[in-house]
Each structure stands twice: as C-alpha cells, then as structure tokens.
Amino acid sequence: MTDTLDPKITAAPANAGSDENVSRPPQPRPAVVQPPALKRRIPKVSDLAPLMQFKKPEFSKTARLKRASTIWELRDIAKRRTPKAPFDYTDGAAEEEITLRRARQAFQDIEFRPGILRDVSRIDLRTDILGKESRLPFGIAPTGFTRMMQSEGEYAGSQAAEAAGIPYTLSTMGTASIEDVATAAPNGRNWFQLYLWTDRDRSLELIERAAKAGNDTLMVTVDTAVAGARLRDVRNGMTIPPALTVKTVLDASYRPAWWFNFLTHEPLTFASLSRYTGTVADLINSMFDPTLTYEDLDWLRETWKGKLVVKGIQTVEDARKVVDHGADGIILSNHGGRQLDRAPIPFHLLPDVTSALKADNSKAEVILDTGIMSGADIVAALALGADFALIGRAYLYGLMAGGREGVDRTIQILEKDMTRTMALLGVSKVSDLNPDHVRLLQR
C-alpha cells in the first residue's frame, strides 16, 4: 500500500511552533504629546507688538548706499542714476567685450582652500607697496574723464583714498589737474599715470608737475598704441564733453540729478590739456605716441626719480624686459578689456609672471587689475602672488552711485569682503596668503 497525501492537507511550516507567524491584533499607537509651542492659539496683541515695528522709509543718498552690500549692487544704483553714454563708457569694453567677461569669470573659476583652527580674531590688511605702507592691499586705478561719470570725479576718488589710507592714481586724461588733486588730498598718497605723447616736451612738463606736486610714483601705460574699438561709445555717439542731442536730452529726463550737477559745476578740464572736443578714440589716436620702444622707457627711468611702474603688461617676456629696463613694478593689465579684445587675462597670467620674476631674483613688485568686483577677488590675487591690486570700474560704480560717499562705500564693501574671506581662510594677515589657499578650476 502506497502512502498518498491528501491534496487538502499541506505540510506545516518548519517554524509553525514559533510565535513569529501568530496573527495578533494591531496594537494601538501611543498618543503623541504635542509641544505647547505647536498648539494653535489666537495671538495676543502683546505678541504682535514686537513684530509690527515698521521702519520709516529712507530715501537719502546715505541710506541708498548703505543698502548696497556688493559692488554689483552699487553698479545697479549707478546705472539708474547715470546717463547711458557715461555709464557705458565706464561699464563697456572693446569689440565683443569677451576679454572683460573672461576676466571676471577667471575670479569665479577658483576654489578657496581654507585652513582651520587658526586665530583669526584680528585681521590685518596692511601691506607695503612701492616703498610705503598701504592700510589696504589695493588702490584706485587711473580713469579718464572721471568728472563726466559724476561731478565730484577725481576729487571724490582722491579724498576717499586719502581717508582710507590707500594710493590714488590720477590719469593723464583725468578731469582735474595734478595740482588740484594734490590740494584736495594733501595727506594722501598720490600717484600719476602717464601716457607718452608724440610731443615729448608736453610729457616732460607733466612729469615735472607730478614730481612738484608730491607724487611718489609714476605709472606709464603702454597698451594704447591706438584706441580700442569701444563699440558702446560708438553707438552712443560718445563725445567729450557730452553733446546735448535729442537722444541725450530724452535720456536726461530720467536722470535729472546728473545733468543738474554736470551743468552747474565747472566744465570738464584735463590734467594734460585745457579743452578738447571730439570722440575719445580720436583723442587717443591724435595725441598718444604709437612709436614707443624700450628706449622711451629708458628715458623715463632717467627722467623720473621716484618709483616707476609699467601698466599694460600681458606676457611673461614683457614683464621681464621692463624690469630689466628699470621698472620698480609692473601692472598686469589689459586695460580693463578696453583695448585688445581676447587679450590675456591678468589673473591667469599672474602665477607665471611671479614665478619668472622670482627665478630672476627680481625685487620688482607685481600689481594686478581688471575684473575685480569683490574683496574675495583681491584675496585670490594676493594668494596667487600679486603684491597689490588696483580697482577701476568698481570705484567708478560707487562714484556714479553717490559721489564721494559712494567711493567710500566701495572701499568699505571691499574691505569687509577681504576681512571675512581671510578669516574664513584661516589667515590673519596679507603676508600669510600663498598659492596653497587658491586652486584654479578647469572649465
């Protein structure tokens, strides 16, 4: 007889005797005790009172500037308050403005590398540049036609620099004289920027005036053999002084304060000539010398007894050569992207130049400009080897936003940025910054 299993009978599971598979009724969930703070209630008047402290609207210049926390926000204010032609002259660059965009992008394409457990209770931003101390590691770059941006112009820039304890550079094409700037900021550290003219006697006159007025540094710009193609200026019909066309009158209706200031102050005058009427490009092409060579640099070195720096260096080879010809410092600069579009980016060039000069045992100092829009940008430049930085557009945005107070605000923003960035990096003084604090990212 064979054993057969009844199909209705199934084998018991191996763990049939355990409690695991025993069906049990669902257990009630414990009651959730709600914190008193989360129980809804009708608000009391006394609870609402601290929340109902509405501030009285402030429309003063001081309040407007105080609300700006970045240079970009100062730029927004400047754009609202300045006619298109002078704003674009400041804001724009050559041709497609590729160089300017790349210069600003270069500062974004970095990674900071912070150190921890460092004492950063006090941050010291002082540094020495060209034989003297600067309270901050940046100064104000030379800018042309500055009173066209805002009527206080070079006077606001030089006085703000004096108050901040940083250098101020007057341009050959500045709209205030060498002597007037020296009078406006008698205790400031004033530098003079020189374009060599075809008329050497006029250039020599400017050099002598700068020395007599107490300028300790001469900055010669060498990247303007001809004017760059600044297409915004062409489209705006930009002339010196600004012309009252139908277009500019309509534009002025939105910026009456600028035109009131412009028309009720002294007409634009220049450090190098009393009057000029025409386009910026025509002025550059008619007055600047396209035949400059290293022999002219030798002449300058013999003529000028103070510190001599060369602005517009864009290759390692040229950096070495100008130092060999007597320059005390070089400025890595592509003129803010306003001359040759697609020019080298100073920030990218910085490591190679500093390494080359170090290999030559050179004591020449390296200054950087172009693309700086924050204190973090300056910190990055210093970490990669720059001794100092210059700000051009950043200061002009402040100037257009609020005159002298706007320039002060620019400096305050950059100083605060630098202090915070260095503290977060674990660095308490400028001299401790080094390439280990910054890594260039690959795009």
Side-chain angles (χ1 to χ4, degrees), residues 298-331:
D298 293 335
W299 174 76
L300 273 176
R301 180 68 283 178
E302 293 175 4
T303 303
W304 178 258
K305 305 308 178 186
K307 298 291 185 179
L308 177 65
V309 295
V310 179
K311 180 176 182 286
I313 300 301
Q314 298 173 67
T315 68
V316 173
E317 179 185 5
D318 282 343
R320 282 176 150 158
K321 287 181 71 173
V322 298
V323 171
D324 289 342
H325 283 261
D328 298 298
I330 62 170
I331 302 177

Side-chain angles (χ1 to χ4, degrees), residues 15-76:
N15 60 352
S18 71
D19 292 336
E20 293 182 10
N21 291 338
V22 176
S23 176
R24 295 179 179 178
Q27 299 297 313
R29 297 178 63 183
V32 177
V33 179
Q34 191 174 40
L38 297 182
K39 294 181 178 179
R40 295 191 181 277
R41 61 186 179 84
I42 298 174
K44 300 176 182 178
V45 175
S46 59
D47 294 332
L48 294 175
L51 305 177
M52 305 294 285
Q53 296 180 7
F54 297 109
K55 291 184 178 181
K56 182 180 179 181
E58 294 184 82
F59 302 102
S60 68
K61 177 170 63 175
T62 300
R64 180 175 67 244
L65 294 171
K66 189 176 181 180
R67 287 192 291 269
S69 299
T70 67
I71 303 301
W72 290 105
E73 289 174 356
L74 285 178
R75 178 186 177 274
D76 291 340

Side-chain angles (χ1 to χ4, degrees), residues 1 3 10 31 35 43 87 95 118 122 131 159 181 183 192 199 203 205 220 228 273 295 307 323 326 330 384 389 407:
M1 180 179 178
D3 294 331
T10 58
F87 178 82
E95 300 179 39
R118 274 75 164 179
R122 296 185 63 184
Q159 290 174 341
V181 168
T183 300
F192 183 69
D199 184 344
S203 295
E205 178 190 346
V220 58
L273 64 162
E295 292 181 359
K307 298 291 185 179
V323 171
I330 62 170
L384 283 186
V407 183

Side-chain angles (χ1 to χ4, degrees), residues 80-136:
R80 292 195 298 268
R81 300 184 63 81
T82 311
K84 184 174 176 58
F87 178 82
D88 278 355
Y89 176 80
T90 299
D91 194 59
E95 300 179 39
E96 297 178 61
E97 303 187 358
I98 295 170
T99 297
L100 177 58
R101 290 195 297 275
R102 286 178 178 173
R104 286 177 171 163
Q105 186 66 45
F107 286 107
Q108 297 177 32
D109 292 339
I110 66 165
E111 177 183 86
F112 280 124
R113 303 174 72 86
I116 61 169
L117 299 177
R118 274 75 164 179
D119 181 358
V120 290
S121 56
R122 296 185 63 184
I123 304 297
D124 186 358
L125 296 177
R126 292 175 298 173
T127 192
D128 290 333
I129 185 66
L130 297 169
K132 293 184 180 180
E133 184 179 272
S134 176
R135 194 182 67 83
L136 301 170

